[in-house]
Amino acid sequence: MTSQLVVIPTRRAHSNHAEVARSIGVDIIAGRYPEGCKLPGDAELTALFRVSRPVLREAVKTLVAKGLLSTKAKVGTVVRERGLWNMFDPDVLAWHLDAGIDGRFLRDLAEIRLAVEPRAAELAAGRRSVADLAAMRAAVARMAREPSDSVGFADGDLQLHIAVANASGNPFMRSVGAVIEAALRASFLLSAPVEETARSTAITAHAAIVDAIEAGDAGRAGAAMTGVIMNGLRRHGTAR
């Protein structure tokens, strides 16, 4: 079953220059401004977005900082190759979802999660606090309480993964939260686990992560986290 709900809403811009940056960023990611392409001039863009030159320049600065654009004297503003984009930036990840996602994007997200989250679960098994465990249990309880295609279910899922990253005690692992959020948004864009079997499997698998962490079993915690990520890929037919 496919759901068209975006259950973890995209972060929206709160200023003119941020909204212009988002619009151009989505166009770049969607390929409407391909790699190596020179953006239209200031006059054309200010007319298109109905903003002042200072607002446009702030938007361009934002995109340069995120690695999507470069500016050079006598050359202009050029789209950089995808390999130079800051893929850990929350906005860049969110813009990918706005532009449209495919199997490659889901696999890329899953691969970085598999490189980090199972290890975070292993560390959490040895470092978790009573408060960490309470946060994890509350997240699983929310998943069990909420409809599978609801904002509440998705938020509970996200809260659990963030709680595990926090319990790892490693600040770098905590910083992967933007990737986790993007992966979960992508997952629910394509297919929320609304069928009873899929729902039961998802909740049980997430509870198994917490059980293993609470038991202090690092190996079992890492394996349970791996299983959850792989199950999401299988649900979308993108696992290899």
Side-chain angles (χ1 to χ4, degrees):
M1 183 177 292
T2 300
S3 170
Q4 296 303 313
L5 295 173
V6 183
V7 296
I8 305 178
T10 303
R11 303 181 330 153
R12 291 298 173 186
H14 297 292
S15 64
N16 285 344
H17 83 262
E19 183 56 38
V20 173
R22 188 193 71 82
S23 181
I24 296 174
V26 170
D27 282 344
I28 290 171
I29 290 165
R32 288 184 280 273
Y33 294 128
E35 296 175 19
C37 168
K38 181 179 175 180
L39 287 191
D42 285 4
E44 184 175 342
L45 289 175
T46 53
L48 175 65
F49 293 111
R50 298 181 180 178
V51 296
S52 65
R53 285 179 184 268
V55 168
L56 176 64
R57 287 170 184 163
E58 282 300 312
V60 170
K61 285 181 183 178
T62 296
L63 293 166
V64 169
K66 295 177 187 297
L68 275 68
L69 294 176
S70 65
T71 57
K72 295 181 180 179
K74 299 182 181 180
V75 174
T77 305
V78 177
V79 177
R80 302 180 80 194
E81 60 184 89
R82 188 172 185 270
L84 299 175
W85 300 351
N86 181 4
M87 296 297 289
F88 281 98
D89 184 279
D91 288 330
V92 174
L93 285 166
W95 297 342
H96 272 84
L97 303 190
D98 289 342
I101 53 178
D102 55 17
R104 176 194 174 191
F105 183 73
L106 286 174
R107 285 193 301 271
D108 287 346
L109 284 175
E111 285 169 1
I112 190 62
R113 292 183 69 197
L114 287 168
V116 175
E117 287 197 79
R119 181 57 180 155
E122 291 171 0
L123 291 173
R127 299 175 177 175
R128 84 289 185 278
S129 67
V130 172
D132 289 328
L133 288 171
M136 294 177 207
R137 292 293 182 197
V140 174
R142 186 174 186 185
M143 292 176 69
R145 185 172 65 247
E146 301 280 357
S148 300
D149 57 355
S150 69
V151 172
F153 185 93
D155 281 346
D157 195 344
L158 175 61
Q159 287 165 12
L160 173 61
H161 289 274
I162 297 300
V164 172
N166 288 339
S168 75
N170 186 308
F172 292 99
M173 290 179 175
R174 293 170 183 165
S175 296
V176 83
V179 175
I180 297 170
E181 180 173 351
L184 292 175
R185 281 196 59 236
S187 174
F188 276 78
L189 258 174
L190 296 180
S191 178
V194 292
E195 295 178 355
E196 189 55 41
T197 300
R199 172 183 169 82
S200 177
T201 296
I203 294 171
T204 299
H206 283 76
I209 297 171
V210 186
D211 291 341
I213 290 173
E214 184 171 30
D217 190 331
R220 186 156 58 95
M225 181 65 78
T226 298
V228 162
I229 297 169
M230 292 304 299
N231 182 57
L233 280 177
R234 282 191 293 270
R235 198 166 69 243
H236 305 125
T238 52
R240 294 190 202 183

